[in-house]
Structures are given as C-alpha cells and as structure tokens.
Amino acid sequence: MTLYYKYLIMHLRAQLQYKGSFLMLSIGQFFIPFTIFAGLYFMFEKFGTLQGWNFAEVALCFAIIHQSFSLSECFARGFDSFSSLIIRGDFDRLLLRPRHTVLQVLGSAFEFTRIGRLLQSLIVLIYAISQLPQLWQWQHILIILFMIVNGVCIFIGIFMLAATLCFWTVQGLEIANVFTDGGREMAQYPLNIYEKWVMKLFTFIIPFGLVSYIPLQMILDKMEAPLWQAMLIPFGGSLFLIPCYLIWQFGVKHYRSTGS
C-alpha cells in the first residue's frame, strides 16, 4: 500500500501542475452527470413515480451508482486505459519489476478530475437521504457506504476484464463500454423497470443489483428482510473481483509481447 500511495501522490502532483486545466476539467465532470440528473428530475415531474419508486428513492439509486463509478474511474484508471500500455510495450517493463502487476497497473494512471463527478453525486446523495426519513439511522448510512464501496469493486472488476482482453486484441474493445458506461446508466434506475432477463443478468452475472436495487428495497421497506442481510448482500460486489482477478492472472500468464 505504501507504493500505491506513492503512485497516487506522484500523479496528483503532476496533474496539479496545470491548476487551471485541472479546475476546468473538474467543473466539466461536475456538469456532465448533472444533465442526466436533470432529465431524471423532469421525468418525475411528468410521471410522478416509476414502478413504485418516487423521485428521492431513484435519486438515491442514481447517487450510489455514480459515486461508485466516479471513484473507480479515479483510482482504477490504469485498467481503463490499459491498452496504451500494451500498444507501447510498456507492460513488458511491468513484468520485470518485483511488484504485482495489479498494483502497478492501478498505479499507472489516476484521474483526479473525476472529483467533479464525485461531488455532484455526493450532493444528490445528501439530498436523497434528507428526503427519506426512514434512512436516518447509522445502520442504514453504513449500508449505503457498503453499497458504494462494493459498487467500486464491480466497476474495477469490469475494467480488469476489459483490460485482460487487450492481451489478445491489443486494442481495447468498445463492447466493454456496454458494461461500464452502459452498466452505470442502467443501474442508476431500479432494476425492476427492465425485462426480467436483464434484471437477472445484472444481478447474478454482473451484480449491480446486489449493490443498489436489492439493498435499497430492504432499507426503503419495499422488501421484508432482516437488517443484517442488507449489510451482507452488497459484498457480492467484492466477491465479483475474485473471478475477475483469476481471469486477469490467466491473461498475464498467456501474454506475448507486442514486439514494440
């Protein structure tokens, strides 16, 4: 972790060398999801509810997923931009160093301008909780934190899977965006608004439902379940990292240099 912290500080100092650019990019990142949230607001102004969910409840779902995505983009940017390491042949150097490849790839890139997106989703999160008195207990706040942290794990796992494909394709495949950007856009709404097969896919295969839809049903009293289940279910996001890591290790084992 000491090495990871040094990577983090080094990239932060480098990005702050151009403070004006950093500020403008952060402001831009603040307003990008704001336009999506504005669309959400106007939709509820028109229709009132969405499959039994009111505006504050869906705003909470929106905030949790966008918090998770922002944090993963900031701290797992190395996997998201991994194809550049393959194309330049830089991954060969990582293999020669006495540190794990996962740590080195994580430390190869950070995107601190995502603080704008993070701040916007934090504002939405605070607003949503303020409108839902049933959540004003420390246990429920703790569950929401578990949901965010495990949501980060899911996005990191997807980035890792997409990066693993680069061992064979060299260039990253756009299909990965179906599960990163597409997954974010889909999971910001309750999963029961989609077809059943979609809900099952994003609950049992890519477990977004375990870090948003199902725990939210429990803490918002839409499903009768003991509180300890709501605390444990989000950790399905952490378990998702295990097969992703194993697939990554398989890819590293079968990596052949690009010859750059």
Side-chain angles (χ1 to χ4, degrees), residues 229-244:
Q229 287 187 9
M231 288 187 172
L232 289 179
I233 283 176
F235 285 93
S238 298
L239 294 177
F240 178 70
L241 273 178
I242 296 174
C244 296

Side-chain angles (χ1 to χ4, degrees), residues 3 8 10 47 69 72 83 129 186 245-246 257:
L3 179 60
L8 189 150
M10 177 182 67
F47 299 106
F69 185 74
S72 63
S83 62
I129 293 175
M186 182 218 62
Y245 172 77
L246 295 176
S257 177

Side-chain angles (χ1 to χ4, degrees), residues 44-220:
F44 275 90
E45 279 288 298
K46 177 70 174 179
F47 299 106
T49 60
L50 182 65
Q51 291 287 87
W53 293 68
N54 63 35
F55 174 66
E57 292 168 345
V58 176
L60 180 61
C61 189
F62 173 96
I64 289 169
I65 291 300
H66 279 264
Q67 284 266 301
S68 299
F69 185 74
S70 302
L71 288 168
S72 63
E73 272 210 314
C74 177
F75 296 104
R77 184 65 174 172
F79 281 110
D80 194 23
S81 58
F82 180 71
S83 62
S84 62
L85 292 178
I86 295 292
I87 293 169
R88 296 196 306 264
D90 290 343
F91 187 70
D92 295 33
R93 293 190 295 174
L94 269 60
L95 291 172
L96 297 174
R97 295 171 182 169
R99 289 293 186 272
H100 201 286
T101 54
V102 170
L103 175 62
Q104 294 187 75
V105 173
L106 281 173
S108 66
F110 294 90
E111 193 61 71
F112 294 105
T113 57
R114 294 301 189 269
I115 191 174
R117 186 189 293 266
L118 188 65
L119 178 61
Q120 192 269 349
S121 57
L122 179 61
I123 293 171
V124 175
L125 180 66
I126 293 171
Y127 165 78
I129 293 175
S130 71
Q131 299 299 308
L132 299 167
Q134 65 267 44
L135 300 183
W136 297 353
Q137 301 177 42
W138 69 267
Q139 299 98 322
H140 290 163
I141 301 300
L142 184 61
I143 291 169
I144 290 172
L145 290 176
F146 286 161
M147 292 161 69
I148 293 171
V149 170
N150 284 277
V152 172
C153 292
I154 292 176
F155 281 113
I156 290 176
I158 297 173
F159 288 146
M160 192 179 293
L161 291 176
T164 303
L165 288 176
C166 295
F167 290 129
W168 290 278
T169 63
V170 181
Q171 283 281 7
L173 298 179
E174 286 299 317
I175 192 173
N177 293 332
V178 173
F179 300 102
T180 51
D181 296 334
R184 179 199 66 211
E185 295 300 316
M186 182 218 62
Q188 68 188 8
Y189 296 100
L191 292 183
N192 64 329
I193 70 173
Y194 303 107
E195 294 287 341
K196 287 187 177 180
W197 70 268
V198 175
M199 187 166 67
K200 289 179 180 179
L201 172 65
F202 286 96
T203 299
F204 300 110
I205 306 300
I206 302 175
F208 282 116
L210 300 184
V211 300
S212 59
Y213 176 61
I214 296 177
L216 281 179
Q217 280 190 307
M218 293 177 176
I219 64 177
L220 293 173

